[in-house]
Amino acid sequence: MPKAPRAKSPDEPYSTQLPLALLNALDTNNRINLYLIENLPPAAWNSKLPDGKGRTIAAIVAHMHYVRVMWLKTAKAQDIPEQLDRATVTPAQATHALESSRAALHKLCREALETDGRIKGFRPDVAGFIGYLIAHDTHHRGQIAMLARQLGHPLPQKAMFGMWEWGQR
């Protein structure tokens, strides 16, 4: 996995590498999502919630992808992936969809970083947008981990710690 870029020489400040570092962070965030899905006990994916209220884990992952697609539409991106059916989505379909929306977001953000730094429909700028996307996914990863535990299908301890190993993902 590619590591965050470093300044190439003492004469070149790290700030020149920030556009690539931001895109790397966006991509790493998605790999963490895929790692979570890969390590989720299969029985947790569509387990019904004890009180019958709220989203299943499958529905949460579909929502994560939905929000990405919503922003791609708002920004008038060229590549807009298909939505997922939260009731029938499989882990394999979710993985494919998240990778598709990641690629489209990467392209959108790269273009913004190479031009005026703006994302249509989002303020303040592309750095804020990437931060928003990572925060959104992270919020839902936490929900998924907690819900899996409440449903009696906790993530393996290795996976719980593994989601924090950004240098390895």
Side-chain angles (χ1 to χ4, degrees), residues 83-151:
Q83 289 291 5
L84 294 170
D85 182 337
R86 62 186 252 165
T88 63
V89 64
T90 66
Q93 291 168 332
T95 296
H96 177 75
L98 288 172
E99 180 53 31
S100 295
S101 58
R102 186 233 32 106
L105 287 167
H106 183 105
K107 181 179 177 184
L108 176 72
C109 292
R110 187 188 73 238
E111 290 169 354
L113 286 162
E114 291 172 351
T115 58
D116 63 2
R118 294 184 184 163
I119 300 289
K120 184 175 177 53
F122 186 90
R123 290 184 186 262
D125 55 26
V126 64
F129 184 66
I130 291 171
Y132 165 89
L133 293 168
I134 292 171
H136 182 258
D137 284 2
T138 303
H139 164 74
H140 290 300
R141 284 196 300 265
Q143 282 186 320
I144 291 167
M146 183 177 70
L147 184 55
R149 189 168 138 238
Q150 290 171 341
L151 293 167

Side-chain angles (χ1 to χ4, degrees), residues 32 35 156-166 168-169:
I32 300 291
Y35 178 79
Q157 193 70 24
K158 180 181 176 187
M160 291 295 293
F161 288 114
M163 288 190 289
W164 291 99
E165 295 170 343
W166 280 54
Q168 296 181 21
R169 304 280 165 238

